[in-house]
Amino acid sequence: DTAVSQTPKYLVTQMGNDKSIKCEQNLGHDTMYWYKQDSKKFLKIMFSYNNKELIINETVPNRFSPKSPDKAHLNLHINSLELGDSAVYFCASRHTGTSGRASDTQYFGPGTRLTVL
Amino acid sequence: GQQLNQSPQSMFIQEGEDVSMNCTSSSIFNTWLWYKQDPGEGPVLLIALYKAGELTSNGRLTAQFGITRKDSFLNISASIPSDVGIYFCAGQLPGSNYKLTFGKGTLLTVNP
């Protein structure tokens, strides 16, 4: 199936650990995003990559480091996890084009629920 | 940061009723999008709006891009139990590199 996929679906870890979340899309898109959804369901963008190049970097602690090995993948590595990092992290992708129509649409993955104990 | 004011925060309705929710902002947006999120899933795009005044339907859903470009509404007609979920508006500011700003969501509960 064509989709945005994330692994793992659930991640439970201790404070201070380092962990990674992976995202892959097979939609042929060239821009990918990471969003954080807090306990109140508020969605906030963290990063965006276009053709493996960082184009959006919101005010995110530098413990969070995205890495895009190719256009189809955007991984998120988190160092020294803190309690406040507990959230659902969503990956999304979009195809950039010359038209403002379908190219503006972002497609979301199923999310990774991170719990820091 | 930029805020989108989405209302209502939650709605409890009976099956068959119509529903309306909206988003407003003090800034002009290029694009308005409406997403639905089911529990344990990612947001799924319902309707995308690209032009001021545009009115678009997707089945029982209708959304409009406000003339001022600072607001949008979503209507759901003849609601059914599977309409339950969180509905998010999202807007894209000019020059934002296609960054989406999300509203805080409307939790819809439909009683059969």
Side-chain angles (χ1 to χ4, degrees):
Chain A
D1 288 343
T2 56
V4 180
S5 59
Q6 294 179 228
T7 54
K9 176 87 169 161
Y10 300 96
L11 184 53
V12 181
T13 188
Q14 297 287 334
M15 210 164 50
N17 284 350
D18 303 338
K19 290 293 178 186
S20 291
I21 307 171
K22 296 185 176 182
C23 178
E24 176 181 2
Q25 54 90 8
N26 59 5
L27 297 163
H29 292 170
D30 54 4
T31 302
M32 297 182 72
Y33 303 80
W34 278 110
Y35 287 84
K36 180 180 180 180
Q37 187 173 46
D38 61 24
S39 58
K40 295 185 178 178
K41 304 299 184 185
F42 183 55
L43 269 163
K44 193 170 187 330
I45 191 167
M46 301 172 69
F47 301 102
S48 173
Y49 270 74
N50 175 261
N51 283 319
K52 303 192 296 176
E53 182 182 341
L54 182 67
I55 57 170
I56 295 175
N57 185 352
E58 293 294 283
T59 308
V60 177
N62 58 15
R63 298 181 295 104
F64 290 78
S65 51
K67 282 190 172 49
S68 182
D70 55 58
K71 286 195 308 184
H73 296 84
L74 181 61
N75 303 324
L76 184 64
H77 187 75
I78 315 171
N79 288 328
S80 303
L81 278 156
E82 299 177 357
L83 295 176
D85 297 333
S86 295
V88 181
Y89 292 84
F90 287 101
C91 177
S93 72
R94 179 179 70 89
H95 175 68
T96 55
T98 55
S99 163
R101 286 253 156 200
S103 64
D104 288 349
T105 303
Q106 293 183 25
Y107 295 87
F108 284 78
T112 295
R113 180 174 291 279
L114 172 64
T115 303
V116 183
L117 304 174
Chain B
Q2 182 54 236
Q3 294 287 332
L4 281 184
N5 302 308
Q6 184 172 350
S7 65
Q9 277 190 334
S10 60
M11 302 182 74
F12 298 84
I13 61 170
Q14 292 297 123
E15 183 176 358
E17 288 183 0
D18 298 342
V19 168
S20 186
M21 57 193 79
N22 69 83
C23 273
T24 60
S25 174
S26 56
S27 297
I28 289 174
F29 283 84
N30 277 348
T31 304
W32 283 95
L33 304 170
W34 285 92
Y35 285 86
K36 182 191 177 199
Q37 186 177 20
D38 290 328
E41 302 292 330
V44 173
L45 182 70
L46 298 174
I47 292 180
L49 303 158
Y50 301 99
K51 207 163 60 170
E54 182 178 351
L55 182 71
T56 297
S57 293
N58 177 7
R60 295 178 295 106
L61 278 59
T62 302
Q64 185 158 33
F65 192 144
I67 289 291
T68 65
R69 295 171 62 192
K70 294 181 179 181
D71 63 313
S72 176
F73 72 74
L74 174 71
N75 287 343
I76 305 172
S77 62
S79 58
I80 57 179
S82 62
D83 290 335
V84 164
I86 303 176
Y87 291 79
F88 291 98
C89 64
Q92 177 206 308
L93 289 164
S96 66
N97 232 343
Y98 295 98
K99 182 175 76 172
L100 287 184
T101 300
F102 278 83
K104 294 191 174 181
T106 295
L107 175 61
L108 178 64
T109 303
V110 180
N111 295 318

